[in-house]
Every structure is written in structure tokens, then in C-alpha cells.
Amino acid sequence: MIPEAVEAAEHGGRQPEGVAKKVVLYTATFWSLFQLWVASPLPYTLGFGVFNDSETRFIHLALALFLAYASFPWRRGKIIHTIPAWDWLLALSAAACALYLFVFYDDLAGRSGSPTGMDVFTAVVGVILLLEATRRSLGWPLTIIASLFLVYTFAGPWLPDVMAHKGASLQRVASHQWLSTEGVFGVPVGVSAGFVFLFVLFGSMLEQAGGGAYFIRVAFSLVGHMRGGPAKAGILASGLTGMISGSSIANVVTTGTFTIPLMKKVGFPDYRAGAIEVAASTNGQIMPPVMGAAAFLMVEYLNISYVEVIKHAFLPAVLSYLALMYLVHLEALKADMQGLKRPDLAPIKIRLMRWGLGLSGIIICIFLTWQILEATTRWFGDLSLYVNGTLIAGIYLGLLAWEAHRPMPEGFDPEHIPNATTALRGGLHFLLPIVVLVWCLMVLRLSPALSVFYATLIMIVILLTQKPLRQLFSQQAVGDTWGDGLGDLLLSLQNGARNMIGIGVATATAGIVVGTVSLTGIGQVLGELIEVLSMGSVIMMFLLTALVCMVLGMGLPTTANYIVVSTLMAPVIVQFSSAHGVEIPLVAVHLFVFYFGILADDTPPVGLAAYAASGISGADPIKTGIQSFYYDIRTAILPFMFIFNTELLLIGVEDFGHFLLVALGGLAAMLMFASATQGWFITRNRWWESLLLLLAAFSLFRTDFWRDQVYPPYQQRPAIELSAGIGQMQPGEPLRLLVEVEDDNGRPSSREMVMTIPDTQPAERLKQLGFITQASGDALKIVDIGFMSPAEEAGLEPGFATRITGYQVTQEQPAKAWFALPSIFLAILLGLWQRRRKSMASL
């Protein structure tokens, strides 16, 4: 039952036979080879087969649509072995609509904005078939969202005033959504075709080679013997596989197949076992370096480097995983659970020595490899690629020879878990492509596509050679192992493409949402609606935005999820916070909406990851989803913390000592929060002890909150001094204005605004910001607003009651670290109190 459910979830539930099977598999293989070709430098080296970005997008979506109709039947849920003729017709028609843009690319460019009747017909049919392919491969949620946005595009003139717009003709919508790069073939499909496919293919190859089983085996050897060990191992394994996986559902079915039954075996109820796996797998999507492919979309949307994205996302993801591990430990303590049987019973000194030697050896090997790669890059210049390739080949052969003399069984056997050193040693060569990937991204600063291409090349070599080389090094007959390696490679190419069907279709459909926003300006409408509902409260605005993101993200894969929430809700936060004087870095805004979009994967009633876990555990999916969301509350509070305390995103962290303070403070806060929500610290909490733990957690996360109460960060100055004040400020500095405007009832209402000092002459700065003012006592009456100025973009309008009442200047404050000490002392005292209470209860 479980394999069929997994097959239905991952590959559509259709297993064709005969010629149909060959067509599907050959097409999937061709898709993978095509993506490898366009990502490689070979087309430019050989001088043929060069495709530009737009042409690659057309072919990419054509193959995704063809395979969607061939792989996913009209109704899902059963294994079907045939493909009816009408599905073949739909598959070819959908692919033809996408390839129409490839074939007539030059003609369409020449008549941009003036489509012919055939252009419009192709676009309309293409959008309809895309929506149907989305319904088949992903279900109704994204299909309904995209359809509603299309309806909104046409229905603008007949909607209520708050949502009304002038509407658009069929010709304009077709041209915008299908024939241009503003809609379906926009940035989302470009990222899918350029980077995401290769990362999914890389993950498929790593899984086929045995890397997934290796990560699970290592996780169980490290923590499987502890209290609640299988749950902790599942968390660790999900974190390792989640780094390269693009789907929380794929995480659940990959690791949950092993971990959920073992969790139940050591005492976890079925719904809690499923919920722990769901929480761990969902959090895998926020874990760098891939983040469910959202990392690469952030690079495009934020226009910052990939390294910057990873730096900002790293600490919150690690804190979330460590807190989940601690939370599971508390669950095990409450139920007095035990772990799996220890792999060995060697004395503690010997185990520590093994650990020390094993870990130090691995660290030394990685360090030496890193230093040698860096040295060869510096010494050999353009030839370093070939030198480093030879070096990596030598390391690979050495690792395989070492592993062959101490062979590990393939797969994962929970009844025979090796010790940690043996488990780590049993697949070190799987870390080579990951090291190369990180090296290319972080050190050489190559593009994500080229970086993962080189890592995938190493995975191809591993797939083809690891079995025969192991046989050779262990002095056994090679036999048919070369053929086995070729079979593994073909299977990984096919599975990689089939795993990409849903992602490729989802990014294209999400492009409809992006196109609607740019065509109708619905983002402004959402901003105004949120502002009305929040009643001017910044905290209420964030709560409403988080709720909307969770609703929008229900049933969407990670890539489409991020595209939708970042397109619709990120501008709302930016607009609202700027209008109310709150400075928030753009990367923090995008991570905020991304986190809450991802939490939809375990939020009832749609939480798809919870349904996948319940299929393995046998528990009720709604109960599993509720429990997993309860576990994920610790993840839900993180965005509210880093949106106001951007040091958690390593923004403004100056040195390693500062990083340690931020990381340790964040970890302590997360552990206290987990203890408070689980009702257990040293022993079972009383209600007031949980409240004190929550207070301590908040105080550690937001030490600046208490500091600002004692030492205000800003000093208010009268508006009459504004011209002189901004003349003394540096270009690029934030300017905090206090503005009084009329509300809807005609009453004066005060608001804070943050603007950036322009790089102009001091006397011209106020005018450059868009303010034409007149003195009125200590205030400045706004008599006019400059056209297309920052003031106009902030929504200000001149009027009798519109005036600048003052501005704020920054003043010095003591270090935040001092205000963390009371929280630490409180936690220590509470721990000592509970330990004493526990000791007295045991007498």
C-alpha cells in the first residue's frame, strides 16, 4: 500500500506498459539530458545547440506539460497501466502550445503587443491546458488560485470599488500571460529551467546512488540509541535530505518510511510519530543550501548574491531544527521512552576515542581537500579545473578503496545499526559532489546552474563506477556491475525528470499570478485591505500577513508557494512598514512570507505532508496535521523575531564573537520556548513556570525591546529644524519623519515614515523627497507633493491638515547583551527550583 501511495504522489500513479512506457521514459530521459546540455559549457565550446533563456523556457515547459498528461490520469488515486488516446492528444496539444513560441520566436518578437488571431488562440488553449495539467499533477489549490486571478483580470470593472480596476481584453491578457515573459514564461519558469531542474536531478542521482540511505544510516548511528532516538534520527535525516530536496512530501515519504514505524516501536503514538516527521520534513524546505529551490528565486527577486541568501537563511533554519530535536527529547522524557539498542557496548573511553579519531580524521580530510583545491585554483589559473578534477578523482578512488575493505550493507536496516564511525566511513564519497557544489557556489562564485552541473557530473561518475570499483578493490569479480551502474544512471535521469513535472507545471501556473499582479495592480489592493483590517497596528499587519500566507500556500509545492506569497504579500509588508516608520530589510520580508507559506504543508485541512505521513503511520491526517503544526509553533515564532531582530539573519553581525552571542542567545531562547510549549523543563512545568519561560525566551530574542524602554533609540526634534537636520545627515541614511494626516473620518492621525536621504545638495534634499512645505509654528505644513517622489509613493497627499510635526535622530544606547543577563539568570533559577522540586518528589 505504501509504495503505491508514494508512486501516486510522486509520479502520478500511472505506470504505463509497452510502447507507452517507453515513450514516457525516453521523454523523461531526453528532458534530463537537454537540461544538462543547456547548463553545460559544451554548446558554446562546440558552437552548436545554443539556446537562449527564452527558448530554454519554451522547451522546458513543453516537456513538463507532455509528461504531466502522460503521467497523471484524469482522476488520481489508483495505479493505471494505460494512457488513453485523448490524453495523448492533450499532451501533444499542450506541448505544441509551448513550442509554438519556440518555432515562431522571431515572428512573435517582431509583432510584440499586436498578436494575430492564431497567437491569441494558442495562448488561450495553452493557459487552459496548463491549468488542467496543474490540477492533475498538484490537485485543485493552485489551479483555483490561478483561475481566480484570471477571473479578477477580466472582472475588474464590475467589482466593488476597493477591488475595481479597468480590466483587460482577451487579446491583451493572452499576450501578457502566454506570449511575453511577464506571465507563464516569466522569472519563475526561468528559474525552474535554469537551476531547479538540475538540483532535483542531482538529488535523484544522490538517492539512486545510495546517498539517501547513507544519510539515514548516519543519523540513526548518531542519535538512534538516545531517548526517542528514532524521532531524533528522523529529524536529522530529514535535515540532511531536505538540504537538497525540493519537496516536503518527498522528504516525508523518503525518511518517514523508516522512521515512523520505528518511532511507534519505541512508544510514540501514531499521530505524534507522523507529526514529528512532518515537522522535520517541512523544516527541510527552509534549510540551506537549496531551500526547496526558493534560494535561487530569492537571488532573482532580491537581486543579491546566492551567498548572501544562504548567509541570511542559515541561523534561523539551524535554530528551528535544534529546537525540534530538543522538543522530541522532552516528549521522550515525559513518556519515559528509551532508544534503539546501542550498536556496541564498548567502554566510554573507547567510544570517545573512536569519536575523536573519526571526526578529527574527517575534519582533517575536508580541511586538506579545501586547502588543496584553493591552492590549485590559485596556482594553475585556467588549468585549475582539470587539476582539481584529477584531484577529486584521486580522492574518490582512495575513499572507495578504503570503504571496500570495510563494506557496509546497502540500504538501511534498523535492526543492525553500525556505530557512528563505521556509518560515517561507509559512504564518505557521497560527500564529494556536495563539497564540490558548495565550493563552486561559495568560493568560486559560479552560477547556481554551472555549480550544480559540475556536481551532477561527479554524481554521474559515481553512479557509473562505484559498484564495479568496489568489486575491484575488494578483489571480487566485476561481472555485470558496469551494466548495473548504467541502469542506475538511466533510472536517476528518468526519476529526476518525473519528479520535476509538478515543479515545472507549478512555476508556470504561479507565473499567471505574477502576470496578474503586474497587469492589474492587485498588490496595491491587498496592501490597502491589510491596512484597513490591521487598523494601523504593525503587529496586527504581520499576523494577518502570516495567516494569508498560510492560506495561499495550502497545497502548493515549495517553488510555487514562494512565488505566490512573495509576489502578493511581500510588497504589502514593505509598503505598510515603510508608511509606519518600521525599517525592515527586504530579505527579512521575503523570508517571513516564505516561512509561513511553507507552514501550510502541515496546516489542516489541506496539509499535504500530513496526509503523506498519515498514509505511513495509519493515523488520522487531520490529527497528524494539528499536532505537527503545534510542533511547528517554534518555527512560526522565528519570523516574528528576525523581522525585528535582524541579527538572527546575520545582518549587522560584525565578527565571530558577535555571531556566537547571537547564535547562543537564539538557541537558548528557542529551547526555553520549546520547554514552555511542551510544559516540561527539568520536570513538569506549573503554569506560571511556563509563563516565565516564555518571558525569558522573548527577552532573549528581543533584548532590544527592554533596552528601548530604558534607553529610547531616537530623540524627537521639532519639524522646524528639519531642513538643517537633514543637511547634516549622510546620503543613504534613514530619515524618520513624524507626519500628521487626516483619517477617513476627518480626524488628525499621526504616523511615522522612513525615507532615505537622497544624494543631492543639502538644501535640495527635502524637495527631492517630494515635500513642498510652509512653516506653521513648530510644524511644517505640506502644501504640495512632488510627482513620482518618495513622498507620493508613501501615499501622502497635500491638504489643510497634512503636516510634518517632527523628526527623529538616533541616539546612543548600551550593548544589547547586557539586557540578556536577567533572562539567563531567570532560567537558571527556574532550573534549580525544578531540580529541587523533582528531588523532593522522588524521596
Side-chain angles (χ1 to χ4, degrees):
M1 181 62 69
I2 290 175
E4 288 193 4
V6 172
E7 177 68 22
E10 293 296 301
H11 297 149
R14 187 176 262 165
Q15 294 179 345
E17 298 174 342
V19 176
K21 178 180 180 179
K22 292 181 179 179
V23 171
V24 171
L25 295 182
Y26 290 165
T27 304
T29 305
F30 171 77
W31 192 12
S32 292
L33 294 175
F34 169 76
Q35 295 288 166
L36 285 170
W37 173 263
V38 296
S40 74
L42 289 177
Y44 302 96
T45 303
L46 301 177
F48 70 89
V50 178
F51 299 92
N52 63 35
D53 288 343
S54 296
E55 291 171 333
T56 302
R57 296 176 191 186
F58 304 148
I59 298 173
H60 175 83
L61 184 57
L63 292 168
L65 289 171
F66 181 87
L67 288 173
Y69 281 102
S71 300
F72 294 87
W74 172 261
R75 297 181 62 184
R76 300 182 64 184
K78 293 173 60 179
I79 301 295
I80 300 174
H81 300 287
T82 58
I83 303 177
W86 64 293
D87 271 358
W88 285 119
L89 178 62
L90 291 174
L92 292 171
S93 300
C97 289
L99 292 176
Y100 178 86
L101 280 75
F102 176 80
V103 175
F104 299 103
Y105 181 71
D106 293 332
D107 296 335
L108 289 167
R111 57 175 182 264
S112 177
S114 302
T116 65
M118 188 61 187
D119 295 342
V120 174
F121 174 78
T122 303
V124 171
V125 174
V127 169
I128 293 172
L129 291 177
L130 172 62
L131 291 173
E132 169 58 14
T134 305
R135 185 196 66 80
R136 290 185 179 211
S137 57
L138 300 170
W140 283 105
L142 184 56
T143 309
I144 292 173
I145 289 173
S147 300
L148 288 175
F149 274 83
L150 284 174
V151 171
Y152 177 78
T153 304
F154 292 108
W158 299 280
L159 292 172
D161 289 343
V162 70
M163 300 182 66
H165 61 91
K166 64 181 181 180
S169 65
L170 178 63
Q171 183 181 23
R172 187 181 178 200
V173 173
S175 178
H176 191 83
Q177 294 285 15
W178 192 266
L179 304 177
S180 73
T181 56
E182 296 292 328
V184 169
F185 294 100
V187 171
V189 166
V191 173
S192 176
F195 323 133
V196 178
F197 188 103
L198 293 175
F199 275 91
V200 171
L201 180 61
F202 176 76
S204 174
M205 289 184 174
L206 189 60
E207 178 67 28
Q208 187 63 37
Y214 170 70
F215 289 147
I216 295 173
R217 191 164 57 238
V218 168
F220 271 88
S221 67
L222 289 172
V223 297
H225 62 280
M226 299 179 181
R227 285 182 180 268
K232 295 175 182 176
I235 294 166
L236 185 56
S238 292
L240 293 171
T241 57
M243 288 192 298
I244 56 172
S245 169
S247 166
S248 53
I249 301 171
N251 266 17
V252 169
V253 298
T254 300
T255 59
T257 304
F258 302 106
T259 60
I260 291 175
L262 287 173
M263 282 189 246
K264 292 169 64 178
K265 181 178 178 181
V266 297
F268 283 98
D270 52 6
Y271 71 96
R272 288 187 186 272
I276 291 169
E277 182 58 48
V278 170
S281 299
T282 302
N283 286 178
Q285 302 304 285
I286 65 174
M287 178 64 72
V290 177
M291 297 166 60
F296 310 109
L297 286 162
M298 286 184 188
V299 170
E300 297 293 322
Y301 286 172
L302 301 177
N303 196 28
I304 61 177
S305 70
Y306 172 80
V307 175
E308 284 292 305
V309 171
I310 297 308
K311 182 185 82 171
H312 297 317
F314 170 74
L315 185 57
V318 172
L319 291 179
S320 181
Y321 262 104
L322 291 176
L324 182 59
M325 191 82 75
Y326 178 67
L327 184 150
V328 165
H329 180 70
L330 295 178
E331 289 275 29
L333 284 175
K334 287 191 287 185
D336 194 26
M337 297 179 189
Q338 302 301 318
L340 298 174
K341 184 179 179 181
R342 297 182 68 89
D344 62 49
L345 294 176
I348 184 66
K349 291 183 179 179
I350 296 178
R351 294 203 300 273
L352 288 174
M353 186 169 61
R354 287 177 181 171
W355 261 93
L357 290 174
L359 286 178
S360 60
I362 292 170
I363 292 171
I364 290 171
C365 287
I366 293 175
F367 176 77
L368 289 176
T369 302
W370 194 275
Q371 292 298 316
I372 293 171
L373 286 172
E374 191 174 45
T376 55
T377 302
R378 187 171 58 252
W379 292 340
F380 293 96
D382 294 338
L383 296 176
S384 62
L385 176 65
Y386 306 100
V387 176
N388 285 337
T390 304
L391 174 65
I392 291 168
I395 295 172
Y396 169 61
L397 291 173
L399 288 174
L400 272 185
W402 187 39
E403 294 169 17
H405 289 90
R406 297 175 180 270
M408 289 288 296
E410 293 187 6
F412 169 72
D413 182 3
E415 299 298 329
H416 299 88
I417 300 174
N419 61 51
T421 305
T422 305
L424 283 169
R425 189 179 56 226
L428 282 175
H429 66 285
F430 292 127
L431 301 181
L432 271 179
I434 298 176
V435 169
V436 169
L437 176 62
V438 174
W439 172 264
C440 291
L441 286 170
M442 300 289 192
V443 179
L444 299 183
R445 300 296 179 96
L446 299 180
S447 68
L450 195 56
S451 300
V452 73
F453 171 75
Y454 288 134
T456 304
L457 282 185
I458 296 176
M459 279 308 312
I460 291 174
V461 173
I462 290 175
L463 279 166
L464 289 173
T465 63
Q466 65 172 350
K467 289 183 179 179
L469 286 177
R470 275 176 173 163
Q471 294 292 98
L472 191 64
F473 288 134
S474 59
Q475 298 181 348
Q476 298 180 24
V478 173
D480 295 331
T481 51
W482 289 106
D484 294 341
L486 182 60
D488 289 340
L489 175 59
L490 288 174
L491 191 58
S492 67
L493 290 172
Q494 293 161 5
N495 287 340
R498 296 175 73 188
N499 291 341
M500 262 302 297
I501 296 171
I503 298 175
V505 171
T507 52
T509 307
I512 294 175
V513 177
V514 177
T516 302
V517 171
S518 62
L519 188 60
T520 65
I522 188 177
Q524 183 72 24
V525 173
L526 285 172
E528 293 174 358
L529 185 61
I530 292 289
E531 183 161 8
V532 171
L533 293 176
S534 63
M535 297 176 290
S537 168
V538 175
I539 296 299
M540 183 60 68
M541 179 273 294
F542 279 118
L543 289 171
L544 288 171
T545 303
L547 179 62
V548 173
C549 287
M550 285 194 287
V551 173
L552 289 174
M554 286 185 179
L556 304 191
T558 302
T559 44
N561 192 324
Y562 173 66
I563 293 165
V564 171
V565 298
S566 63
T567 301
L568 294 176
M569 303 313 300
V572 173
I573 297 178
V574 172
Q575 174 186 339
F576 190 95
S577 58
S578 177
H580 289 78
V582 181
E583 300 176 62
I584 303 175
L586 193 55
V587 67
V589 172
H590 277 251
L591 285 171
F592 181 92
V593 297
F594 176 57
Y595 268 56
F596 283 103
I598 289 300
L599 287 176
D601 277 350
D602 61 9
T603 305
V606 181
L608 298 182
Y611 279 89
S614 63
I616 300 172
S617 67
D620 176 69
I622 300 298
K623 193 174 183 180
T624 301
I626 293 172
Q627 185 65 43
S628 63
F629 184 78
Y630 178 67
Y631 288 149
D632 263 342
I633 291 176
R634 82 203 185 287
T635 305
I637 68 159
L638 269 174
F640 285 98
M641 297 302 108
F642 66 59
I643 206 83
F644 294 108
N645 179 13
T646 54
E647 287 184 346
L648 291 170
L649 302 179
L650 303 186
I651 297 174
V653 175
E654 300 167 354
D655 50 42
F656 184 70
H658 192 178
F659 167 77
L660 279 181
L661 282 175
V662 173
L664 293 176
L667 178 60
M670 286 296 290
L671 298 186
M672 290 180 199
F673 183 84
S675 289
T677 54
Q678 289 301 303
W680 192 283
F681 189 34
I682 303 300
T683 185
R684 191 173 299 279
N685 294 343
R686 292 169 179 167
W687 66 269
W688 57 269
E689 292 172 334
S690 292
L691 288 179
L692 287 177
L693 285 170
L694 286 175
L695 176 63
F698 172 78
S699 300
L700 282 175
F701 271 132
R702 291 290 316 279
T703 50
D704 59 321
F705 177 83
W706 301 113
R707 181 187 64 178
D708 292 348
Q709 307 304 310
V710 182
Y711 300 94
Y714 304 108
Q715 181 184 18
Q716 187 168 332
R717 298 282 179 85
I720 200 71
E721 300 177 6
L722 179 59
S723 295
I726 63 175
Q728 299 173 4
M729 300 175 72
Q730 297 298 318
E733 278 191 60
L735 171 65
R736 307 181 67 87
L737 293 176
L738 303 176
V739 181
E740 190 175 87
V741 298
E742 284 187 351
D743 61 17
D744 294 337
N745 298 317
R747 291 190 295 265
S749 173
S750 296
R751 52 192 288 198
E752 292 184 16
M753 302 181 62
V754 179
M755 294 184 173
T756 302
I757 298 294
D759 189 7
T760 58
Q761 293 296 323
E764 297 292 322
R765 287 176 178 174
L766 195 59
K767 186 176 179 180
Q768 188 74 23
L769 290 170
F771 295 106
I772 311 298
T773 61
Q774 176 182 317
S776 176
D778 286 340
L780 293 176
K781 181 180 177 182
I782 300 175
V783 297
D784 200 7
I785 296 291
F787 178 67
M788 297 292 290
S789 65
E792 186 182 64
E793 291 176 0
L796 286 179
E797 297 178 358
F800 178 77
T802 306
R803 58 186 192 147
I804 301 174
T805 58
Y807 71 103
Q808 296 177 331
V809 294
T810 305
Q811 56 183 7
E812 298 223 359
Q813 297 175 289
K816 292 193 298 183
W818 293 108
F819 293 84
L821 294 178
S823 301
I824 296 172
F825 289 143
L826 175 62
I828 293 172
L829 290 174
L830 189 58
L832 293 173
W833 162 254
Q834 286 203 356
R835 183 177 293 279
R836 180 173 177 273
R837 181 154 57 86
K838 183 180 179 181
S839 300
M840 293 179 65
S842 62
L843 294 177

